Amino acid sequence: MTDKDILSYYERSTCSVQWLEFNRAFAAELSAGLPPEEIRQLFRRIGERVAVALPIERCDTVEQLRAGFNSRWKSIDWGFATLQEQSDHLGIVHACSPLAMAFGPDATDWAGGFFEGAYQTWFAAQGTPADLKVRADSSGADGLPQVVLRLERAPQ
């Protein structure tokens, strides 16, 4: 049993069967009616609203941030985050959210906008400088049910 197998199982079990076909049809209609970037922006705004509804307390360390994020995600059964400080960015890996299963594999790129919005809102509430932006990095998922993001300076 590999980590990928375990995470894939968890991902499959996170979306209620009663909502699966509805969510997949919803995703198909979104994809048929709107360009991917507009859908991504919609999900970003939804993520912002969720983060406002689930605020985290003031944090002084990266470890406190991670604990605050995970406390909120755990309260709604939306997986968990790991944070890793790098020389030029803060890496964020969000694993085991129900989004991939709920909306299907074709929604992966634009569904990442949800996490951009949520994490950006939480970082802004912590007083993070406005030029630091959260961006999903689709190249970093390695086929696992996770969203890889980076908090870094916005390109000039």
Side-chain angles (χ1 to χ4, degrees), residues 32-82:
L34 294 171
E37 187 53 35
E38 287 185 31
I39 302 169
R40 182 183 198 83
Q41 289 304 316
L42 172 65
F43 270 71
R44 185 178 180 88
R45 290 190 306 271
I46 293 168
E48 291 167 356
R49 288 178 183 269
V50 168
V52 167
L54 300 171
I56 61 170
E57 294 181 18
R58 180 76 179 143
C59 301
D60 295 319
T61 67
V62 171
E63 179 55 31
Q64 288 175 346
L65 277 172
R66 185 199 59 75
F69 295 158
N70 286 332
S71 174
R72 290 306 184 207
W73 294 130
K74 183 179 180 181
S75 74
I76 60 171
D77 291 331
W78 267 60
F80 55 91
T82 58

Side-chain angles (χ1 to χ4, degrees), residues 28-148:
E29 285 302 313
L30 281 174
S31 294
L34 294 171
E37 187 53 35
E38 287 185 31
I39 302 169
R40 182 183 198 83
Q41 289 304 316
L42 172 65
F43 270 71
R44 185 178 180 88
R45 290 190 306 271
I46 293 168
E48 291 167 356
R49 288 178 183 269
V50 168
V52 167
L54 300 171
I56 61 170
E57 294 181 18
R58 180 76 179 143
C59 301
D60 295 319
T61 67
V62 171
E63 179 55 31
Q64 288 175 346
L65 277 172
R66 185 199 59 75
F69 295 158
N70 286 332
S71 174
R72 290 306 184 207
W73 294 130
K74 183 179 180 181
S75 74
I76 60 171
D77 291 331
W78 267 60
F80 55 91
T82 58
L83 305 178
Q84 185 174 26
E85 293 181 88
Q86 302 293 326
S87 61
D88 62 341
H89 71 277
L90 178 67
I92 308 160
V93 177
H94 190 100
C96 300
S97 89
L99 281 180
M101 189 63 183
F103 293 113
D106 293 339
T108 303
D109 286 340
W110 49 262
F114 173 86
F115 292 103
E116 289 175 343
Y119 285 110
Q120 186 70 50
T121 299
W122 281 332
F123 280 116
Q126 294 293 313
T128 302
D131 67 332
L132 293 178
K133 301 294 181 191
V134 176
R135 300 278 184 249
D137 179 4
S138 60
S139 66
D142 295 328
L144 295 172
Q146 61 188 15
V147 178
V148 177

